[in-house]
Amino acid sequence: MGLGTSRGVALVGMTGHVVGVEAHLAATVPGFTLIGLPDASLSESRDRVRAAVASSGLAWPQQRVTVNLSPASLPKHGAGFDLAIAVAVLAGARLVDASAPRGVVHLGELGLDGRVHPVRGVLPAVAAAAAAGVRRVVVAAADVDEARLVPDVEVRGVSCLAELAYAYGADIAEPAPVRIPTARPVRGPREPVGDLEDVLGQHEARAALEIAAAGGHHLLMVGPPGAGKTMLASRLPGLLPDLTETEAVEVTAVHSVAGTFDAGDGLVRRPPYEDPHHTATAAALVGGGSGVPRPGAASRAHRGVLFLDECPEFGARVLQTLRQPLEDGELVIHRAGGSARFPARFQLVLAANPCPCGLAVGQGLQCTCTPMQRRRYFSRVQGPLLDRVDLQVEVAGVSRVDLDQAEPGESTATVAGRVAQARLAAAARLAGTPWRLNGEVPGRVLRGMLGRGGGVLADVDRALDRGMISLRGADRVLRIAWTIADLGGRDRPGREDVGRALALRTRGAVA
């Protein structure tokens, strides 16, 4: 009888749990049993591990092998436990030094030829191991760069099981280096394209975009096709400052789990940009899927921008799934086997035509849509979701005369400088609180900072009495007003700032 141990990591959403891998070998009828709530892909590791051991020049023990993944109550999934299981079995059979893998976390998928393939989620897995006090980690050679992003952890990369077995004292010849092709991510975080100075005219929309960037506000742009809504939205990430160290680790961990992270580029330092197509499902937008939940576009846009072009074309149920992350900054996906949490604190930018044909602008003389078609078109966006969008502006079409008279607009760098100063002012004012941006602060806190004197909120009170805005909308107006004041270098917003914020909230003109 022999007992071998090693360690792995189980990811539930973005949370990692160190798992003890115990292999018990008994001199009875040969067999291989895997227990500890493995999913289908993990159960298949029995065949992968047996074939990999044989391909590595090691004799598979002709004994009853029972592998337990502890804690047994925690669901485990994926092929990332292959390497830990193989090492534990070899240690139990005394084919390697039983003490060598003890306390070491092993992460990697095994091929039938014994090669060690990379897996998703290495960064959060190694971070969880480090938080649990583990200081030695073995990963696939292709995952070494990603694993070394976690400080104070000794990382060893292996290309095949034989290489690791030899290092642990197996009686085999030293294997030759094995080259494994590195798979590129499906799609990494998007970089902003173009400069804000490419946008001709649209002074009102540009001002709204600057306010959105400075305060972390959500934005809706309504205008005819070709007015520049998509161009404006794609420039927003360029106005945002670089991610802090903590934010960069959060964003990188999300993209590691999603399989869209290239470790060769280091941590993700710039705010990501996601623009899913309007045919996207709810699972594609907020995450999920059958079996193991995966982060969707909303989580991949964490600390960045989520842009939904032609938002009325999205399914109504799909759009309403965004209500939770807009309020809480995270997504909780429930499945029969448990729940997974993914961070999702993004800036939402919506773009829409005024009607199905897109010509209901001005007097709408060229529009061919009926009033019922117009109402039905926007009914998917209106309601609770739209009430959570701070800025709601109209983007007018640009005529040839406007192009001839248009002067070059400010560049992204110029506007980003003002945005950075406004964010610093907000951060200084909010020091000692859980918030850093005006778009995150509850309305009661903003009212307390502003006070009720001087009739500053008279326009907001009047709009509330007339039913133009809800109580939530009034809080959004206050957030915008504080951001306008920060951009103007003022200590507190005045009545003009509140009036301008109210116009931005109700799709009025930006003065």
Side-chain angles (χ1 to χ4, degrees), residues 34 157 206 330 350 354 437 444 470:
L34 182 62
R206 288 171 59 101
E330 69 172 1
L350 304 174
L437 297 173
R444 60 177 177 78
S470 63

Side-chain angles (χ1 to χ4, degrees), residues 78-106:
F81 285 95
D82 287 1
L83 189 59
I85 293 173
V87 169
V89 171
L90 293 176
R94 300 300 185 261
L95 295 175
V96 300
D97 182 0
S99 63
R102 197 170 297 154
V104 181
V105 162
H106 300 81

Side-chain angles (χ1 to χ4, degrees), residues 195-219:
D195 196 282
L196 193 59
E197 65 182 359
D198 299 334
V199 181
L200 298 178
Q202 301 296 9
H203 302 293
E204 295 83 2
R206 288 171 59 101
L209 197 71
E210 181 177 343
I211 293 170
H217 304 290
H218 307 304
L219 171 65

Side-chain angles (χ1 to χ4, degrees), residues 12 21 51 57 75 94 99 108 122 156 158 257 279 283 287 370 385 463-464 473:
V12 181
V21 181
R94 300 300 185 261
S99 63
V122 167
R156 179 189 183 121
V158 293
V257 173
T279 57
T370 65
L385 174 64
L464 271 172

Side-chain angles (χ1 to χ4, degrees), residues 3 201 284 395 492:
L3 181 67
V395 182
R492 53 193 291 123

Side-chain angles (χ1 to χ4, degrees), residues 187-193 213 233-244 247-248 250-252 255 267-275 297-306 345-347 412 416 419 423 436-437:
R187 173 187 168 191
R190 294 276 299 279
E191 292 290 335
V193 179
S234 66
R235 269 61 176 176
L236 178 56
L239 303 181
L240 305 179
D242 290 342
L243 302 176
T244 65
E247 292 171 344
E250 289 178 356
V251 173
T252 305
H255 285 270
L267 291 175
V268 179
R269 300 287 183 179
R270 292 294 304 156
Y273 176 72
E274 291 287 332
D275 55 346
S299 290
R300 296 196 302 270
H302 180 57
R303 301 295 181 185
V305 176
L306 176 64
R345 190 168 297 281
F346 54 83
Q347 277 189 255
T412 293
V419 167
R423 287 195 169 209
R436 293 191 303 123
L437 297 173

Side-chain angles (χ1 to χ4, degrees), residues 22 24 31-35 46 50 64-68 85:
E22 304 167 317
H24 178 269
F32 192 171
T33 304
L34 182 62
I35 59 176
R46 293 173 299 180
R50 185 186 288 110
R64 180 71 182 180
V65 179
T66 302
V67 175
N68 178 47
I85 293 173

Side-chain angles (χ1 to χ4, degrees), residues 67-135:
V67 175
N68 178 47
L69 307 177
S70 177
S73 59
L74 179 70
K76 292 90 178 175
H77 60 83
F81 285 95
D82 287 1
L83 189 59
I85 293 173
V87 169
V89 171
L90 293 176
R94 300 300 185 261
L95 295 175
V96 300
D97 182 0
S99 63
R102 197 170 297 154
V104 181
V105 162
H106 300 81
L107 302 171
E109 174 185 347
L110 288 176
L112 300 184
D113 58 355
R115 299 187 184 190
V116 182
H117 298 281
V119 294
R120 292 183 177 185
V122 167
L123 177 61
V126 175
V134 176
R135 290 294 170 262

